[in-house]
Amino acid sequence: MTRWVPSAVMLRWGILGVNTTAEESVGPAMRSVGHDLAVVSAETLTAAQQFAATQGVRRARRDHAEVLVSRDVDAVFVALPTSEREHWVTEALHAGKHVLCLKPLSIDADGAARMAAAAASGAGLTLMEALPLRFHPRTAALLELVRSGGIGAVRLVSATSAYPMTDADSYHADPSRGGGALLDVGADLVSLIRWVLGEEPDVVRAVTRRWASGADATTSAVMGFPSGATAALHASFDSARHSTLEIVGSDGTLRMPRPFTAGPGDQAALLRSDEVIGTWRADPWERLLEAFEHATQGIRPPIDVEDAVATAHVIDWIAASG
């Protein structure tokens, strides 16, 4: 296991919103890399106080705006419902804060593009979509193998991310708040497919099953690409837990079990023709935070905000075709 060495720079964080990701992954990773958790705000003061007590945050607030005016905050992590992210990300950028935002950035590509433009207009400010998948060493190894021709020309990519979402009161079940499987887990799927193929689709077909609320419980899509490759994705909130990536090339196959859910304690395997060719154990959130920190210092990260906008365009297309 690679041991993480805390960085020389200590970012001071403000956290907008609390959820499972913030509690189980982001907060612990921030502490692990030596960053300072200055202040958190949540829908209720009680929720903010509970998060602060368990994560070592110095202050808890009810008002998100109080976080943005804090002088001891360099960067903001936005963990709010999807429909609220554009507003608060833009406000944070206008306040001169760097921003790390849960995926997807916005409910649609237009919103994501506006957020990217707001970041570009702020001198030296960083906006990054939080996709820890891209920062896992196994993902880096996979992309290097594909791009070096390790399985020949890629013909087919198939990616699935599914789990049972049982909280009917969650914003994930509310389309007015940016709910639905496609916007949430679909962001991982589309991003990974785009990275593997290194191109954008020119054909999209989708099928969607919806809850009574109107949010999609499951979306499946098939995409065609200019190279002749095809890709299939399955995003679901009402299926048994399942997460996998398969790539079929002209000269071989690759499979990555649990590409989106491998935790810091897991040995993450990569298989070629069903034979394990490598395993990696790492916390991708720690690596993402290091990349974000470097980006605030002017070092270009492996993925930038324009990649998030490109993914959002594909998600919009899938949604329109389903």
Side-chain angles (χ1 to χ4, degrees), residues 143-288:
L143 296 177
E144 175 60 29
L145 184 58
V146 170
R147 290 167 183 171
S148 66
I151 57 170
V154 176
R155 305 300 194 203
L156 173 65
V157 182
S158 179
T160 297
S161 183
Y163 69 91
M165 205 283 293
T166 57
D167 183 3
D169 295 326
S170 168
Y171 77 85
H172 292 298
D174 185 349
S176 70
R177 304 183 75 191
L182 178 61
L183 267 179
D184 191 282
V185 297
D188 290 310
L189 296 166
V190 172
S191 295
L192 186 52
I193 289 169
R194 291 181 51 255
W195 300 335
V196 167
L197 291 171
E199 57 182 344
E200 306 300 332
D202 54 8
V203 177
V204 170
R205 299 288 186 272
V207 176
T208 298
R209 181 170 65 255
R210 299 188 182 278
W211 283 311
S213 67
D216 65 300
T218 296
T219 292
S220 296
V222 177
M223 294 175 282
F225 291 80
S227 65
T230 58
L233 69 81
H234 308 282
S236 182
F237 277 162
D238 69 348
S239 306
R241 190 172 294 274
H242 184 62
S243 172
T244 190
L245 170 76
E246 295 180 324
I247 305 171
V248 180
S250 58
D251 301 326
T253 63
L254 292 171
R255 182 162 60 89
M256 195 159 73
R258 297 184 62 198
F260 314 107
T261 58
D266 297 323
Q267 288 286 357
L270 179 61
L271 295 82
R272 176 170 177 161
S273 301
D274 293 325
E275 178 179 340
V276 176
I277 59 173
T279 60
W280 294 262
R281 190 176 180 184
D283 186 340
W285 281 103
E286 291 180 350
R287 294 168 182 263
L288 184 154

Side-chain angles (χ1 to χ4, degrees), residues 64-215:
H64 301 320
E66 290 187 46
V67 176
L68 303 187
V69 298
S70 298
R71 293 186 177 183
D72 60 348
V73 169
D74 307 307
V76 171
F77 176 66
V78 177
L80 298 167
T82 311
S83 60
E84 299 176 29
R85 291 173 193 167
E86 181 182 352
H87 172 76
W88 286 108
V89 165
T90 304
E91 289 294 302
L93 291 167
H94 287 164
K97 313 298 185 184
H98 303 289
V99 182
L100 179 64
C101 181
L102 276 183
K103 51 80 181 177
L105 289 182
S106 180
I107 59 173
D108 57 30
D110 288 344
R114 288 190 294 268
M115 295 159 80
S121 66
L125 291 179
T126 293
L127 169 60
M128 182 184 291
E129 184 180 50
L131 280 173
L133 166 71
R134 185 63 181 87
F135 298 90
H136 200 292
R138 178 178 60 169
T139 305
L142 170 85
L143 296 177
E144 175 60 29
L145 184 58
V146 170
R147 290 167 183 171
S148 66
I151 57 170
V154 176
R155 305 300 194 203
L156 173 65
V157 182
S158 179
T160 297
S161 183
Y163 69 91
M165 205 283 293
T166 57
D167 183 3
D169 295 326
S170 168
Y171 77 85
H172 292 298
D174 185 349
S176 70
R177 304 183 75 191
L182 178 61
L183 267 179
D184 191 282
V185 297
D188 290 310
L189 296 166
V190 172
S191 295
L192 186 52
I193 289 169
R194 291 181 51 255
W195 300 335
V196 167
L197 291 171
E199 57 182 344
E200 306 300 332
D202 54 8
V203 177
V204 170
R205 299 288 186 272
V207 176
T208 298
R209 181 170 65 255
R210 299 188 182 278
W211 283 311
S213 67

